[in-house]
Amino acid sequence: LDMTSSYMPVEEYEKNLNSDLNGKKIAILDNVMKSIQDERIVANFNEIVEKLEKRGAIVERVSMDDALLQTLLPVYLIIANAEACANHSNLDGVRFGMRENGDNLEEIMINSRTKGFSSQVRKRFVLGSYSLFVENQDKLFRKAQKVRRVIVDEYKKVLDQYDVVIATAAPTIAPHPEESVGEKMSDTYLVADNHMVLGNMSGYPSLTLPSGFVDGCPIGINVTAKAFDEQNLLNICKAIEEETGLENNTVGGAQWILKQLSELKSTVN
């Protein structure tokens, strides 16, 4: 009943699940795959693709404009931070949100917003408010919105020719905190680490599911379909799950760990 929701009928997704891939057209977003340095992640992805082809899927590699994809992160940050700033502006501790004491109204608002949000969230608010300044709106916020539209239009051109677009979800496994690095402006970071914001920008149905493990850590594959084509998305993802053997992430992961431990024990013996 949300006024922003679609009036499109919703299918009985679970009841209608069908993992038949015969004739399904799948596009690999090659910009992402070419940016990944870890060959184990690439090998895992390629193995899944081969299995999908054996099931009758038509798999082709496509590329979008590299320069356009390199704008994903800055465009996302400008728009997302501005929206976060605007959407949370009423959480002042007076009318809405948690309230911290102060000697006057200004102190109450400052204390509430300082304690109520982490430093990272406050950082986003500062960046968002900067792009919303009247003198900055045209050169930052509105320009980012225009670039977003160009990106989504290009993405739609790809999806118009295929049932889904797929790529590895992330270029690396999750790093240890002490190994975490800063934001690098390489293709691996700009494209492979941020390509899933295409789902945020477009609003197209997108799903990430586990595809295997590297060094005991899970890796995944991202699948995106046309607008209102959730059933097709879920059907293709079901086929992927059947091939990975990870229909249940927890059980599949546990089985994989037990298998590795068993092999390790055999090696030690």
Side-chain angles (χ1 to χ4, degrees):
L1 300 178
D2 189 317
M3 63 180 290
T4 62
S5 295
S6 167
Y7 290 105
M8 292 280 287
V10 179
E11 297 182 51
E12 294 184 62
Y13 299 130
E14 185 176 5
K15 180 180 178 180
N16 296 331
L17 275 177
N18 180 355
S19 60
D20 181 10
L21 292 185
N22 281 305
K24 296 292 184 182
K25 297 190 67 177
I26 299 174
I28 297 173
L29 191 53
D30 219 24
N31 307 73
V32 175
M33 301 312 302
K34 287 180 177 178
S35 300
I36 297 173
Q37 304 298 315
D38 193 325
E39 292 299 326
R40 298 169 299 175
I41 293 177
V42 175
N44 171 269
F45 179 84
N46 290 339
E47 182 182 346
I48 292 172
V49 168
E50 289 178 10
K51 291 178 178 178
L52 299 183
E53 288 179 314
K54 289 179 180 178
R55 292 180 65 140
I58 302 167
V59 183
E60 297 176 352
R61 291 181 176 268
V62 299
S63 293
M64 293 175 63
D65 186 339
D66 278 319
L68 202 57
L69 290 183
Q70 288 169 1
T71 67
L72 286 173
L73 179 61
V75 168
Y76 165 77
L77 288 176
I78 290 172
I79 295 175
N81 290 342
E83 291 180 348
C85 180
N87 292 339
H88 292 82
S89 60
N90 67 336
L91 301 180
D92 52 16
V94 178
R95 296 164 297 174
F96 301 99
M98 64 169 286
R99 179 168 184 162
E100 287 293 313
N101 293 326
D103 293 335
N104 52 55
L105 182 61
E106 184 178 2
E107 276 193 16
I108 291 174
M109 293 175 67
I110 292 174
N111 293 341
S112 297
R113 292 184 70 80
T114 300
K115 190 171 182 179
F117 299 105
S118 69
S119 59
Q120 286 298 314
V121 173
R122 295 199 301 272
K123 175 184 174 183
R124 281 180 169 257
F125 289 167
V126 171
L127 294 173
S129 63
Y130 180 79
S131 63
L132 290 177
F133 288 161
V134 174
E135 60 269 29
N136 294 333
Q137 284 189 20
D138 282 333
K139 65 180 181 181
L140 288 175
F141 184 65
R142 291 194 180 92
K143 181 177 287 186
Q145 288 181 313
K146 292 176 182 177
V147 175
R148 176 179 63 180
R149 174 45 50 196
V150 174
I151 294 171
V152 173
D153 286 346
E154 287 299 309
Y155 200 36
K156 183 178 182 299
K157 289 178 183 178
V158 175
L159 278 167
D160 282 344
Q161 304 173 61
Y162 297 91
D163 291 292
V164 294
V165 175
I166 65 172
T168 294
T172 63
I173 61 173
H176 290 285
E178 61 271 16
E179 295 175 353
S180 184
V181 295
E183 296 179 356
K184 297 180 179 179
M185 296 299 105
S186 64
D187 280 352
T188 299
Y189 181 75
L190 285 175
V191 178
D193 233 341
N194 293 284
H195 72 94
M196 288 199 295
V197 302
L198 285 166
N200 300 67
M201 292 179 176
S202 65
Y204 296 153
S206 184
L207 191 156
T208 297
L209 65 163
S211 62
F213 298 85
V214 169
D215 290 342
C217 293
I219 56 176
I221 183 171
N222 179 255
V223 187
T224 302
K226 301 178 181 69
F228 302 108
D229 200 16
E230 285 88 352
Q231 187 66 63
N232 203 26
L233 171 69
L234 295 170
N235 290 347
I236 292 174
C237 286
K238 185 177 189 299
I240 294 174
E241 280 190 337
E242 290 172 358
E243 292 301 329
T244 61
L246 296 171
E247 291 91 348
N248 182 306
N249 190 13
T250 304
V251 173
Q255 290 173 341
W256 183 89
I257 291 170
L258 289 172
K259 179 175 180 291
Q260 300 304 309
L261 290 173
S262 176
E263 291 176 357
L264 179 62
K265 183 179 180 181
S266 299
T267 303
V268 172
N269 291 339

